[in-house]
């Protein structure tokens, strides 16, 4: 069995009913394992067994369902297609709206021209709109009907066809209409304006959806077009596609790094914020890794390409974000289920509405019946149901990528909102993962720089990790190291060396005692360092102690703040480590993690068991790690979060990957996921509430109380507003910003609360405006929307 996955770009989907139909068509093909269709991106992601089914067969299944496959989906293809669709929709809705307003003025204003003369002119105008602007709607409705389906286009086509068809019959055969006792009202302005407003709504939706995908499009555009390859004699600019693994590439100040690689010559600082979310430029020297599409700032360097093409970090990020944007959250299942029954139910309600008004409605019964039935068909909006979840996920996943957060899909976003406890691996996650010189305590009258310089000179010949840490600390401070004439390692004690014609000892208290070194009060300093979780290494010169070096696995910058912010989010924070309890307690204390939440002495194969134990207590657990031995725990956790500076195995086992190493990004990821899920719920709540309230209103629920029928034109405006409001609500995620401090997490800033309430109030006012317009029309005797008659 050969498992493959493909993403198809699908044309013709307009609502959640379309999504459900395409998914069922694909799932019904033998050999298809998974099929997920996204209305916001207009794409379908299909997992299948290539030995049983081909892409051609998948395309055929979609075609049989009444839709068209443009090809495999790509960001560039979608962008070009949406640009063409935007232009087409803009022309059609603007022309249709202009014709509709002109027709409405003719029908409503007292014009001294007989109706028998005007009616044919209006018929021609309405026919142009129906055949030209509304063609796509009718074709889609017909294709769905041929395959036994009903979609949003079906509702619009039925409503406009009834309005246009009845008006055309009355215009062409007025005598026959009177002989049958039918009213001779004309509905042309409703048929035209409904199409105009539906197309306007779709134009606004496409524009909004394009904005939803701006983040990933911006990432894709960051890829440089050329690379300066170093060759014998001279450098040569080549297209980025021509770069091969192993090529040497030169980067000058202000230029983009062409692809992923390792520095072999020169030094500089590189701005990696567009991929990692970390604002401070990263220093680069020989041996350091560089990421393609990042910006070189100061120096010039040469690097060797290690990953090119689709293997680069940028390409993988774009691919992961596109997959996340095309995924579904569990919340979408409810909308998909409802959508499967929605359109047939609306058609049934419209039919019952028509029959009910004919049976018991006031005169003119047929006019009232047609108005109410058309309004029911038009006001119903499954589009909002289909757009609420995918649009929010598109924006949320794109926004996350801006901060160096890669989310695997909507399920991960939703799960991140549910977590109650978070477990942080110590080594490599909370700490740097290797010894560092954290503190230098000099003896009285000695400079700390001199202590560090002589210690580094003594250790420069050693390969021990602690020695490397001491040398790195001295070089990091730009110290000049004196020459060491001889070096001797003393196992279990330390080292002895001759530096600048002085005898230097570096090591434990036992080493100092062996050579009878006078410590002059340094023992108290070493004991204090030990209480803070550091190993105190004595430095002596010519038999006298000159200082103590505090060496420890240093806590990462921002780790203390990240733990405080996670607690401010209401999460129980745990630390997991294989270190002994005493050493672990010291690190926990420095991070303000209570001793009861420090899990020490945990062997690598016991990390997953520790996660299971917490889950057994009813906790929803997130695990954060970076190493190979963290992968089982990441997979076991309800939500796995991998530090991107760690191993590929850990990243593969995680639900969320942090491209940079800043732990505060975890807080951003959780806060953004909560905001995204809240936005999804708002969109779904609005979509359900809209349909539950306005479908009865369109059917005439207010008529017994206020003698108001919802005009089909206003119904079309409300329908368009519903879809657009859901998408614009999702677009508010683009304004998400990480909380600057713990206080902001505990109490959201006033601006955020004002924005939230302002949006909800705006939606309420828009809904009231529709109702107010209906009442205004009713007050002027125009609540049916049809005032012109053919004599």
């Amino acid at each position: 069995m050969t498992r493959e996955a493909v993403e198809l770009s699908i044309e013709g989907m307009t609502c959640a009913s379309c999504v459900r139909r395409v998914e069922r068509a694909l799932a019904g093909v033998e050999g298809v394992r998974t099929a997920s269709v996204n209305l916001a991106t207009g794409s379908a992601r299909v997992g299948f067994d290539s030995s049983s089914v081909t892409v051609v067969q998948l395309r055929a299944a979609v075609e049989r369902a009444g839709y068209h496959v443009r090809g495999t989906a790509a960001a560039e293809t979608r962008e070009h297609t949406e640009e063409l669709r935007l232009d087409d929709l803009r022309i059609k809705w603007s022309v249709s709206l202009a014709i509709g307003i002109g027709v409405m003025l003719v029908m409503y204003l007292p014009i001294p021209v007989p109706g028998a003369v005007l009616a044919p002119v209006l018929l021609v105008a309405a026919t142009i709109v129906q055949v030209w602007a509304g063609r796509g709607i009718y074709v889609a409705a017909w294709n769905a009907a041929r395959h036994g389906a009903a979609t949003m286009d079906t509702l619009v086509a039925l409503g406009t066809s009834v309005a246009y068809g009845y008006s055309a019959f009355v215009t062409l055969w007025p005598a026959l209409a009177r002989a049958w006792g039918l009213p001779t009202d004309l509905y042309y302005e409703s048929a035209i304006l409904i199409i105009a407003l539906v197309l306007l709504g779709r134009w606004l939706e496409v524009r909004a959806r394009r904005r939803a995908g701006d983040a990933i499009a911006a990432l894709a555009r960051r890829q440089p077009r050329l690379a300066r390859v170093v060759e014998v004699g001279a450098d040569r600019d080549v297209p980025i596609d021509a770069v091969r693994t192993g090529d040497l590439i030169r980067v000058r100040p202000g230029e983009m790094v062409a692809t992923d690689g390792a520095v072999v010559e020169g030094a500089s600082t590189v701005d990696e914020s567009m991929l990692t979310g970390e604002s401070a430029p990263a220093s680069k020297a020989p041996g350091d890794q560089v990421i393609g599409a990042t910006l070189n700032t100061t120096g010039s360097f040469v690097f060797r390409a290690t990953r090119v093409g689709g293997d680069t970090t940028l390409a993988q990020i774009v691919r992961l974000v596109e997959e996340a944007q095309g995924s579904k959250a569990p919340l979408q299942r409810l909308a998909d289920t409802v959508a499967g029954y929605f359109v047939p139910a609306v058609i049934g309600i419209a039919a019952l509405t028509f029959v009910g008004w004919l049976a018991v409605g006031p005169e003119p019964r047929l006019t009232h019946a047609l108005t109410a039935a058309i309004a029911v068909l038009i006001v119903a909006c499954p589009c909002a149901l289909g757009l609420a979840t995918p649009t929010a996920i598109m924006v949320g996943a794109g926004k996350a990528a801006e901060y160096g957060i890669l989310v695997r899909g909507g399920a991960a976003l939703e799960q991140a909102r549910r977590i109650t406890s978070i477990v942080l691996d110590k080594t490599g996650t909370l700490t740097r993962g290797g010894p560092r010189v954290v503190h230098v305590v000099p003896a009285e009258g000695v400079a700390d720089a001199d202590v560090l310089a002589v210690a580094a000179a003594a250790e420069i010949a050693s390969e021990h990790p602690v020695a490397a840490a001491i040398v790195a600390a001295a070089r990091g401070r730009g110290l000049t190291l004196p020459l060491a004439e001889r070096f001797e390692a003393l196992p279990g004690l330390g080292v002895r060396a001759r530096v600048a014609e002085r005898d230097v000892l570096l090591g434990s208290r036992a080493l100092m005692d062996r050579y009878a070194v006078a410590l002059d009060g340094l023992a108290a300093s070493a004991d204090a360092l030990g209480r803070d979780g550091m190993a105190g290494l004595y430095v002596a010169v010519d038999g006298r102690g000159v200082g103590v070096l505090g060496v420890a696995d240093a806590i990462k910058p921002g780790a203390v703040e990240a733990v405080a912010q996670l607690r401010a989010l209401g999460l129980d924070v745990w630390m997991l480590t294989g270190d002994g309890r005493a050493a672990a307690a010291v690190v926990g204390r420095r991070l303000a993690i209570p001793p009861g939440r420090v899990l020490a002495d945990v062997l690598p194969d016991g990390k997953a068991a520790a996660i299971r134990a917490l889950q057994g207590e009813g906790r929803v657990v997130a695990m954060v790690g970076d190493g190979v031995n963290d992968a089982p725990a990441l997979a076991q956790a309800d939500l796995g979060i991998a530090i991107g500076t760690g191993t590929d195995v850990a990243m593969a086992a995680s639900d969320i990957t942090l491209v940079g190493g800043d732990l505060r990004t975890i807080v951003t990821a959780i806060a953004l996921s909560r905001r995204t899920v809240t936005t999804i719920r708002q969109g779904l709540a609005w979509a359900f509430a809209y349909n539950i309230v306005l479908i009865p209103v369109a059917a005439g629920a207010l008529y017994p109380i206020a003698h108001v029928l919802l005009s089909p034109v206003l119904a079309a405006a409300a329908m368009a507003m519903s879809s657009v409001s859901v998408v614009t609500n999702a677009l508010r995620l683009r304004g998400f910003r990480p909380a600057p401090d713990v206080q902001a997490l505990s109490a959201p800033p006033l601006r955020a609360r004002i924005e939230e309430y302002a949006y909800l109030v705006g939606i309420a006012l828009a809904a009231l405006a529709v109702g107010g317009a209906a009442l205004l029309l009713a007050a002027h005797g125009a609540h049916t929307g049809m005032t012109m008659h053919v004599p």
Side-chain angles (χ1 to χ4, degrees):
M1 177 183 293
T2 304
R3 295 186 173 183
E4 291 188 15
V6 67
E7 187 171 350
L8 304 175
S9 187
I10 299 175
E11 192 174 63
M13 296 192 300
T14 57
C15 66
S17 299
C18 301
V19 170
R20 183 175 174 83
R21 179 162 182 79
V22 174
E23 283 184 342
R24 291 174 63 181
L26 288 169
V29 178
E30 185 178 354
V32 170
R33 295 180 289 108
T34 59
S36 177
V37 178
N38 189 303
L39 178 61
T41 59
S43 62
R45 186 176 299 279
V46 188
F48 62 99
D49 175 11
S50 59
S51 62
S52 302
V53 63
T54 64
V55 174
V56 173
Q57 290 172 300
L58 297 178
R59 293 169 61 112
V62 175
E63 300 282 352
R64 286 195 300 270
Y67 302 89
H68 177 62
V69 179
R70 291 191 299 267
T72 54
E76 297 82 0
T77 304
R78 285 201 301 268
E79 190 171 353
H80 177 68
T81 302
E82 288 186 346
E83 187 68 40
L84 294 177
R85 191 179 181 208
L86 272 173
D87 290 341
D88 182 60
L89 287 172
R90 178 177 53 80
I91 294 171
K92 287 181 177 178
W93 77 253
S94 56
V95 172
S96 300
L97 187 61
I99 293 175
I101 291 173
V103 169
M104 186 172 63
L105 291 175
V106 169
M107 295 179 67
Y108 280 73
L109 295 179
I111 298 175
V113 179
V117 176
L118 279 179
V121 176
L122 300 181
L123 172 61
V124 172
T127 302
I128 292 173
V129 174
Q130 296 290 120
V131 174
W132 170 65
R135 181 179 181 277
I137 296 173
Y138 283 98
V139 169
W142 172 248
N143 287 336
R146 285 195 306 119
H147 296 90
T151 66
M152 183 67 208
D153 291 300
T154 305
L155 300 180
V156 175
L158 284 174
T160 54
S161 294
V162 170
Y164 170 79
Y166 185 84
S167 303
F169 172 75
V170 170
T171 300
L172 296 174
W173 298 283
L176 185 58
R178 285 192 295 271
W180 289 355
L182 299 176
T184 56
D185 301 314
L186 298 181
Y187 300 78
Y188 287 125
E189 94 288 6
S190 292
I192 297 172
L193 288 174
I194 286 170
I195 289 178
L197 291 172
V198 167
L199 296 178
L200 170 60
R202 291 183 180 177
W203 179 72
L204 292 172
E205 284 175 26
V206 175
R207 285 188 66 195
R209 294 207 304 264
R210 286 191 67 192
R211 292 180 62 197
D214 280 351
I216 192 60
L219 276 177
R221 286 193 294 267
R222 295 280 301 194
Q223 177 64 55
R225 297 287 181 260
L226 296 173
R228 183 171 290 108
V229 176
V230 178
E231 296 182 344
V232 178
D235 298 345
R236 182 169 62 93
D237 289 340
V238 302
I240 192 66
D241 294 339
V243 175
R244 297 292 178 263
T245 301
D247 285 351
L248 294 177
I249 301 173
R250 189 182 306 279
V251 185
R252 295 173 180 170
E255 293 182 341
M256 303 283 285
V257 178
T259 188
D260 294 1
V263 178
V264 297
E265 177 187 316
S268 183
T269 56
V270 177
D271 180 1
E272 299 177 340
S273 59
M274 53 80 64
L275 290 180
T276 66
E278 297 176 7
S279 56
S283 299
K284 301 296 179 181
D288 291 337
Q289 301 295 313
V290 291
I291 305 174
T294 54
L295 179 64
N296 183 33
T297 57
T298 55
S300 176
F301 61 91
V302 176
F303 72 94
R304 188 179 303 279
T306 56
R307 295 181 182 178
V308 298
D311 295 329
T312 64
T313 300
L314 176 63
Q316 292 181 53
I317 288 175
V318 171
R319 188 159 55 247
L320 282 172
V321 176
E322 285 182 337
E323 289 176 1
Q325 291 183 333
S327 68
K328 287 190 177 184
L331 279 173
Q332 183 66 22
R333 295 171 189 157
L334 174 62
D336 289 346
T337 301
V338 171
Y341 303 98
F342 185 88
V343 175
V346 169
I347 294 174
I349 293 171
L352 290 175
T353 299
F354 182 80
V355 173
W357 278 99
L358 279 182
V360 297
E363 295 295 342
R365 292 185 181 183
L366 182 59
T367 297
H368 284 96
L370 285 172
T371 300
I374 293 171
V376 168
L377 291 170
I378 299 302
V379 82
C381 189
C383 303
L385 285 173
L387 290 169
T389 299
T391 308
I393 290 175
M394 279 184 70
V395 183
K399 194 66 183 178
E402 292 181 17
Y403 292 106
I405 303 165
L406 304 183
V407 183
R408 288 203 175 272
L413 279 173
E414 191 169 333
Q415 189 74 328
R417 188 182 189 275
R418 296 178 56 243
I419 64 172
T420 59
S421 301
I422 185 164
V423 179
L424 303 166
D425 177 60
K426 182 185 81 71
T427 305
T429 301
L430 289 169
T431 63
R432 293 183 179 275
R436 295 287 189 281
V437 176
V438 179
H439 203 48
V440 180
V441 181
E444 186 175 353
V446 180
D448 61 353
D450 293 337
V451 175
L452 186 58
V454 72
E459 291 278 25
I460 198 166
S462 174
E463 296 180 354
H464 194 279
V466 172
I470 294 172
V471 173
R475 285 178 171 167
R477 294 176 60 171
L479 302 180
T480 300
L481 303 184
L483 181 64
E485 299 173 9
R486 61 176 180 265
F487 170 83
E488 180 183 0
L490 305 172
L493 296 174
V495 300
R496 181 182 180 186
R498 183 77 175 169
V499 178
E501 300 184 353
R502 294 184 295 175
D503 288 325
V504 176
L505 293 173
L506 173 63
S508 65
R509 175 67 181 270
L511 177 64
M512 301 297 112
D513 291 342
R514 172 183 287 191
Y515 288 92
V517 173
L519 295 179
D520 297 333
L522 290 176
S525 298
D527 291 341
L529 292 175
R531 287 192 295 272
D532 286 337
M534 290 177 274
L537 299 179
Y538 294 90
V539 182
V541 177
D542 291 333
R544 175 179 174 265
V546 296
V548 181
L549 303 181
V551 178
D553 185 1
I555 291 176
K556 283 185 176 181
V560 174
E561 184 181 354
V563 170
Q565 291 182 349
L566 288 169
R567 294 176 66 182
L569 285 174
L571 301 175
D572 289 330
V573 182
W574 298 69
M575 186 179 77
L576 183 66
T577 179
D579 293 351
R581 293 187 181 279
V586 171
V587 177
R589 186 167 61 251
R590 291 164 66 188
L591 292 167
I593 298 176
R597 289 189 169 83
V598 175
L599 304 176
D601 293 318
V602 180
L603 298 176
D605 57 358
K607 291 185 176 182
I611 300 297
R612 277 195 299 272
L614 292 175
Q615 291 171 326
E617 298 174 4
R619 303 174 186 271
V620 182
V621 182
M623 168 70 189
V624 184
D626 76 322
V628 172
N629 56 19
D630 296 327
L634 290 170
Q636 173 64 40
D638 298 289
L639 182 75
I641 303 176
I643 305 296
T645 50
T647 66
D648 291 341
V649 175
M651 294 168 66
S654 66
D655 302 299
I656 295 176
T657 298
L658 310 180
V659 178
D662 191 341
L663 288 179
R664 287 167 293 191
T665 314
I666 301 172
V667 182
T668 302
I670 294 172
L672 180 57
S673 72
R674 290 181 174 183
R675 177 86 174 271
T676 302
V677 174
T678 297
T679 301
I680 291 172
R681 290 182 171 178
Q682 288 174 345
L684 290 175
W686 165 255
F688 280 116
Y690 165 89
N691 286 295
I692 290 172
V693 171
L694 283 191
I695 289 177
V697 170
L702 294 181
Y703 193 86
I705 303 171
H707 294 285
V708 172
L709 276 181
L710 183 63
S711 165
V713 174
L714 289 176
M719 183 268 290
M721 184 191 73
S722 176
S723 297
V724 173
S725 65
V726 166
V727 177
T728 53
N729 185 38
L731 287 175
R732 292 192 304 126
L733 284 169
R734 288 159 53 99
F736 173 86
R737 296 290 182 273
D741 49 40
V742 172
Q743 289 72 24
L745 287 167
S746 304
L750 179 62
R751 178 181 173 184
R753 294 200 296 270
I754 290 175
E755 285 181 357
E756 190 73 23
Y757 292 130
Y759 177 78
L760 297 176
V761 169
I763 289 295
L765 291 175
L768 288 174
V770 173
L775 290 172
L776 184 64
L777 287 175
H780 287 79
H783 58 272
T784 64
M786 326 298 174
T787 59
M788 184 174 180
H789 309 270
V790 176

